[in-house]
């Protein structure tokens, strides 16, 4: 008869070795697959394949969780909550192509242009979540906050190092590029950032300004033209200018909602205060 204590000792030693090799999923899961393999008379290769698949799956989950924490993406703004039916068929087709994530590998930019409330930020955030699920590093930031971060690095004479850190992100999402009236220093670091990523890394931008108005951002006509040239040379541009504000639609719907009947309200109040028999 096999000694049960010897079997338990072997299991504990194997689990410890797997932890030493940094294989926590295999260390946690191997007893059950081992039992199934023995009962089903599976090959050693089949048993090992199941364990390796489990380890890879857990590593993917941990990597995605780590990327999501580092991304700064708004957690609620995913494709589960975006209302794609508000967009035209052409925009929905653009979005469907972008969801594959292939644009990142080709260093293609995305520029979502539209009025406030059209869903620009939500759309780009949802794309960011898709990229994270694919294992891509993404950073979501308001343009204003990122410019302050770069300005601080420039003052400390470490702008190249900060740009190198941002270069680790396959896609950099700049939210609301048109809302802040940038001063000359902010304009310079923004242009430097766009130039550094040109044809190397993707930038996704949401803006309420059409390109003819971008001089309000970059101040100088030549700098504006150079910035636009770098952004749109390889870019997908979802045009949301004809999309009405979701917030305005909700407010209008509430304004036109018929008032509740006083009789019905009184009936409801009586029902709520009545004491059950």
């Amino acid at each position: 008869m096999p000694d049960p204590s010897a079997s338990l000792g072997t299991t504990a030693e194997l689990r410890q070795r797997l932890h030493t090799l940094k294989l926590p999923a295999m260390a946690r899961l191997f007893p059950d697959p081992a039992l199934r393999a023995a009962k089903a008379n599976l090959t050693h290769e089949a048993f090992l394949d199941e364990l390796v698949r489990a380890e890879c799956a857990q590593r993917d989950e941990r990597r995605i969780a780590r990327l999501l924490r580092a991304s700064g993406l708004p957690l609620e703004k995913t494709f589960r909550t975006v209302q794609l039916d508000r967009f035209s068929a052409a925009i929905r087709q653009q979005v469907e192509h972008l969801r594959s994530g292939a644009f990142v590998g080709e260093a293609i930019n995305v520029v979502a242009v539209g009025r406030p409330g059209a869903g620009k930020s939500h759309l780009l955030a949802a794309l960011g979540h898709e990229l994270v699920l694919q294992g891509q590093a993404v950073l979501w930031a308001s343009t204003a906050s990122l410019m302050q971060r770069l300005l601080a690095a420039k003052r400390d004479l470490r702008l190249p190092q900060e740009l190198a850190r941002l270069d680790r992100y396959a896609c950099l999402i700049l939210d609301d590029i048109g809302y802040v009236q940038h001063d000359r220093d902010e304009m310079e670091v923004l242009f430097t950032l766009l130039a550094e990523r040109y044809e190397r890394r993707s930038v996704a931008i949401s803006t309420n300004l059409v390109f003819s108005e971008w001089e309000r951002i970059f101040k100088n006509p030549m700098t504006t033209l150079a910035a636009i040239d770098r952004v749109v040379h390889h870019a997908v541009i979802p045009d949301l200018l004809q999309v009405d504000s979701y917030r305005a639609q909700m407010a209008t719907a509430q304004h036109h909602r018929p008032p509740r009947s006083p009789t019905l309200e009184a009936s409801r109040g009586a029902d709520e205060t009545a004491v059950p028999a």
Side-chain angles (χ1 to χ4, degrees):
M1 290 287 293
D3 182 359
S5 62
S7 177
L8 289 173
T10 301
T11 298
E13 289 176 5
L14 178 55
R15 181 174 283 114
Q16 182 58 49
R17 291 192 182 101
L18 289 170
H19 277 298
T20 301
L21 293 171
K22 302 188 185 306
L23 299 170
M26 293 176 68
R28 188 180 74 255
L29 298 174
F30 79 86
D32 288 341
L35 184 59
R36 288 197 301 270
K39 289 181 177 179
N41 199 28
L42 296 179
T43 64
H44 297 305
E45 288 83 357
F47 166 60
L48 182 59
D49 180 66
E50 183 176 352
L51 285 181
V52 171
R53 285 175 183 270
E55 185 66 45
C56 289
Q58 187 176 89
R59 290 191 178 195
D60 287 343
E61 290 176 5
R62 290 200 303 268
R63 173 172 167 76
I64 289 171
R66 192 165 58 247
L67 289 172
L68 184 58
R69 285 194 302 271
S71 70
L73 285 164
L75 298 180
E76 74 284 357
K77 292 185 177 181
T78 68
F79 276 112
R80 288 194 299 274
T81 55
V82 70
Q83 295 182 350
L84 289 173
D85 58 349
R86 298 178 61 243
F87 304 148
S88 69
I91 294 174
R92 292 198 299 271
Q93 187 175 30
Q94 284 179 318
V95 172
E96 193 60 33
H97 287 308
L98 290 170
R99 288 184 71 168
S100 72
F103 73 96
V104 168
E106 300 171 15
I108 290 173
N109 299 323
V110 181
V111 185
V113 187
R115 293 178 291 179
K120 308 179 298 296
S121 298
H122 198 152
L123 179 59
L124 294 187
L127 283 173
H129 279 282
E130 290 291 302
L131 292 175
V132 167
L133 290 173
Q134 296 166 20
Q136 300 278 9
V138 172
L139 180 65
W140 164 283
S142 71
T143 306
S145 64
L146 189 60
M147 292 310 97
Q148 292 305 310
R149 174 175 165 181
L150 292 176
L151 282 174
K154 183 178 180 180
R155 285 194 298 268
D156 296 341
L157 303 180
R158 52 180 181 83
L159 182 59
Q161 293 89 329
E162 189 64 31
L163 290 171
R165 272 192 286 271
L166 292 174
D167 200 54
R168 300 171 187 171
Y169 296 98
C171 185
L172 186 59
I173 303 176
L174 299 179
D175 192 36
D176 292 339
I177 197 174
Y179 281 111
V180 179
Q181 296 299 306
H182 306 289
D183 62 25
R184 182 178 180 82
D185 289 337
E186 289 176 313
M187 174 272 292
E188 288 179 353
V189 293
L190 176 57
F191 180 82
T192 300
L193 174 65
L194 296 176
E196 281 287 319
R197 295 183 72 87
Y198 175 57
E199 293 191 320
R200 298 177 48 257
R201 291 292 204 181
S202 292
V203 177
I205 295 171
S206 71
T207 179
N208 62 330
L209 300 178
V210 296
F211 291 120
S212 61
E213 298 175 310
W214 275 34
E215 192 172 333
R216 289 164 54 182
I217 302 173
F218 293 99
K219 312 302 182 184
N220 180 281
M222 293 304 297
T223 305
T224 302
L225 287 174
I228 293 173
D229 180 65
R230 284 161 173 77
V231 169
V232 305
H233 184 203
H234 307 289
V236 176
I237 306 175
D239 183 352
L240 309 183
L241 288 169
Q242 302 307 312
V243 180
D244 292 330
S245 166
Y246 173 75
R247 293 183 288 273
Q249 286 180 333
M250 292 295 292
T252 301
Q254 290 176 355
H255 178 72
H256 289 93
R257 184 176 298 165
R260 292 179 175 177
S261 167
T263 303
L264 179 59
E265 289 296 321
S267 173
R268 284 180 177 170
D271 290 342
E272 290 171 358
T273 57
V275 177

